Amino acid sequence: ASVGDMVPRAKVPAAVALNSMGFNITRSVGPAIGGIIVAAAGAAAAFAANAISYIGLIAVLFRWKPEVPAPTLPREALGAAMGAGLRYVA
């Protein structure tokens, strides 16, 4: 979901394709690696390896400061916003 925030607009299609390719490779290679870990060290080691693999991702997400566009509309009062939401649902 954040690919569009990380690359220039002109390169979004290529970045999405590369991201999809990475997901597909991971879906095919990941279970094999997991099976090897389970066979060699047990299920607990597989869960530990999975938990450790998220440390890098979490660190990157904490350091990432995406550009937030300046709001163009004024703030809306809570009651008015809830009323607008209810009208939309109705």
Side-chain angles (χ1 to χ4, degrees):
S2 60
V3 172
D5 294 337
M6 292 187 273
V7 296
R9 187 173 189 90
K11 295 187 178 185
V12 168
V16 168
L18 187 61
N19 189 40
S20 298
M21 186 178 66
F23 273 113
N24 288 330
I25 289 171
T26 301
R27 271 194 269 181
S28 60
V29 174
I33 294 171
I36 292 169
I37 294 171
V38 169
F47 278 103
N50 185 39
I52 290 169
S53 72
Y54 279 97
I55 292 173
L57 174 65
I58 292 169
V60 168
L61 288 175
F62 271 120
R63 294 190 65 206
W64 184 36
K65 305 289 186 229
E67 293 181 18
V68 179
T72 57
L73 299 173
R75 289 183 60 96
E76 192 173 10
L78 179 63
M82 290 178 67
L86 290 172
R87 284 191 304 275
Y88 177 78
V89 169

